[in-house]
Each structure stands twice: as C-alpha cells, then as structure tokens.
Amino acid sequence: MDIFEEINLKGYAEEYIDPTLDLFDEIEKLKKEKNAVILAHYYQDADIQDIADYIGDSLGLSQQAAKTDADIIVFAGVHFMAETAKILSPTKKVLLPDAKAGCSLADSCPPHLFKKFKEQYPDHLVITYVNCTAELKALSDIVCTSSNAIQIVESLPPEQKIIFGPDKNLGAYVAKKTGRDLVLWNGACMVHEIFSREKITKLKERHPDAKLLAHPECEDVILEMADYIGSTTGILKYATKSDAKEFIVATEPGIIHQMEKDNPAKVFIPAPPNNNCACNDCPHMKRNTLEKLYLCLKNELPEIEVPEDIIVRAVKPIERMLEISAKLGL
Ligand code: 13P
Ligand code: SF4
C-alpha cells in the first residue's frame, strides 16, 4: 500500500518515528525550513496547543488563515476548519494531521438534503454556522461562528427571513437572543448534546460558588442554567476576567488546558455527560496527535483540496462574515 492509499484508508500514513527524537524540536525545525504555520483549535491535545503558532476559536482561526504569509498551513483541528483555511488561502498548501478528523455537526447536514430544504424557502437568506462542509458554505449567503452569530443575524434588516443551519441549538439560542424567527436545520454536535442537567445540578450543589460556562452548541436545558454562554474564546476570556475561583465548563474539555495556563489559581471542572464516559472529548478533534502532526509536516500530507468551483462560491459568504466581524471589531 502506498502513502496515498494508506491516507485514503486510515486518514494518515503510519511511519516509524525514532523514539529518541524530540518532536517539539523537530516540528520547530520543519516549520522554519518550510515556512509553515501551525493553527490549532482549543479542543486539541495540550501538546499540540503548546507547539501551535496560534490557538483560537473558529473565528480567530479563520482570521489567521486569511492573513498568514506562510507557505504551508498545518491545521490542527477538524476537516471543515482546514477546508475553510484552504478556501480563504487557496494558493497555500493546507495540511490536516488526520484527514478523517471530521465533525458530527457538519455530517448532520448533507448538502444535497440542505439544498432541497433551502428550496422550500426561496425568499429566505441562508446563514450557516462555520461547522459545515465547503459544499454547504457554497449554498450559503453568510457564514457565522459561535462568537459572531448574534451580530451577523442582527446586521440584517428585521424583515429579512432567515434559514439558519446546521446547528439547531446555536440557532435556537440566536433566535432567543435576537427575537428573530429563524428557520432551523435539525443538526447538532455529538459532544455538546450529551451534557447532563441532573449531574450538573448535583455538581453545582457541591460547588455552590462555581460559575457554569457553556458553549451555545449545548441544548437549551443546559444554556438556561449557565452563568455565561459563548464561544471557546469567549469562555476563556470570561474565566480570566471573572473574580470567581471555580468554573464548571460545558464544552469540549481541551479548552481547560488554556484556562488553567492563563489562570493557575482557579479550578476548572469539566461538566459531566449523561453517559458513563469520563469526559466529553470530541473523538474527531482528538484524532490528531503530536506524532501525526510531525509526520504531516514532514511529508506534507494529508493535504486538503477543495474544488475550484466550490472555492469560488464558498469564499463569498465567509468573506462576508469576516467583513461584518471586522466592522464590529470582533
Ligand atoms: P468555537 O471554538 O468557534 O467556539 O467552536 C467550537 C466548536 O465546536 C468547534 O468545533
Ligand atoms: Fe464537530 Fe462537535 Fe467536535 Fe466541534 S466538538 S468538531 S462541533 S463534533
């Protein structure tokens, strides 16, 4: 089996790595040699966050991808994020350590079905959450992230009818906050849907001063208990500014690495899920490892490709989002 077949099958190609190698040093060397930049999402492993040139939420990562002058972008995140980077920087080589790092939310909205759904509402404008495929973005008018969804909806005239997809939880939250009647696609994230209201209530009884911080991809029953709702960057900033000493974190627990680094004297408790798993790790985000990141930079594979016609259509709604965000100073 050659390297391309192996990537097709497994998402990455295995290769012997000398155990005496310091992967942090090797990655640094390769980065300089190849003029590469590593962009990492907060849900990545601590090691990956520590070697990254930029760590951020989806909006911050898109902004970085649009402005980098590196020749190679290594995207330590999931497939839709690397695709977004490729759409914004089509002349650059975009690498994803594991090509099978997908997203349950993006998968919950197949473009051919969304196209039919959209056809039922011909006078509606389509806002899609960035957690979707490039093909879906190409069917959209404006893209948004969890840190600008409310402002993007508010930037449109009140009489404008809107379809919002694919996340029904974020959509319902935005509809509630803006008072707008959004037509929602019925999609959700497997990680944010499994927090347990009962277990969080018990946890709050044991930690009465703890603030509950929740991502808007969580269900309404969790959001209505939260002291703060926001994107991963929003959650991190809130925890840093707050005088509270304890926080219950209702999002993927990878963010806790950065929260602890920035706030060594504060305590962060992952919100418990409604199953018996110890934590809410995103299985897609966690497919990337430091070893796969090293091999992907060394071999410049797996590379993310997006068809030219999709890039041409998908770049407009993403740029529209970036323009609105820049105007609002987000
Ligand atoms: P943000 O980092 O933009 O809040 O997104 C969270 C998420 O689920 C990414 O997959
Ligand atoms: Fe997708 Fe949810 Fe994982 Fe984010 S946390 S990448 S939305 S499955």
Side-chain angles (χ1 to χ4, degrees), residues 20-95:
T20 63
L21 279 185
D22 180 329
L23 290 188
F24 281 85
D25 286 351
E26 295 303 312
I27 291 170
E28 284 299 342
K29 268 191 245 161
L30 286 168
K31 247 169 49 179
K32 283 200 188 92
E33 231 173 73
K34 297 175 184 245
N35 187 27
V37 68
I38 301 177
L39 307 184
H41 189 266
Y42 289 122
Y43 297 164
Q44 293 292 286
D45 270 355
D47 278 351
I48 296 182
Q49 291 190 39
D50 290 344
I51 192 95
D53 297 288
Y54 177 86
I55 325 166
D57 66 359
S58 309
L59 177 62
L61 290 165
S62 317
Q63 288 164 333
Q64 291 296 321
K67 72 176 187 199
T68 183
D69 53 11
D71 296 315
I72 296 179
I73 299 173
V74 182
F75 214 112
V78 290
H79 197 269
F80 76 79
M81 295 180 168
E83 266 185 348
T84 306
K86 183 69 185 175
I87 294 165
L88 286 166
S89 290
T91 57
K92 300 193 192 302
K93 190 176 259 190
V94 177
L95 307 172

Side-chain angles (χ1 to χ4, degrees), residues 158-177:
E159 65 281 5
Q160 176 63 60
K161 294 176 182 170
I162 300 168
I163 294 175
F164 189 99
D167 189 13
K168 63 176 178 193
N169 293 319
L170 175 65
Y173 170 68
V174 173
K176 202 170 173 179
K177 293 295 277 185

Side-chain angles (χ1 to χ4, degrees), residues 43 78 80 102-105 131 189-192 217 282 284-285:
Y43 297 164
V78 290
F80 76 79
C103 169
S104 66
L105 179 52
N131 297 32
C189 157
M190 62 188 286
V191 174
H192 289 88
E217 286 176 25
C282 169
H284 308 289
M285 284 280 181

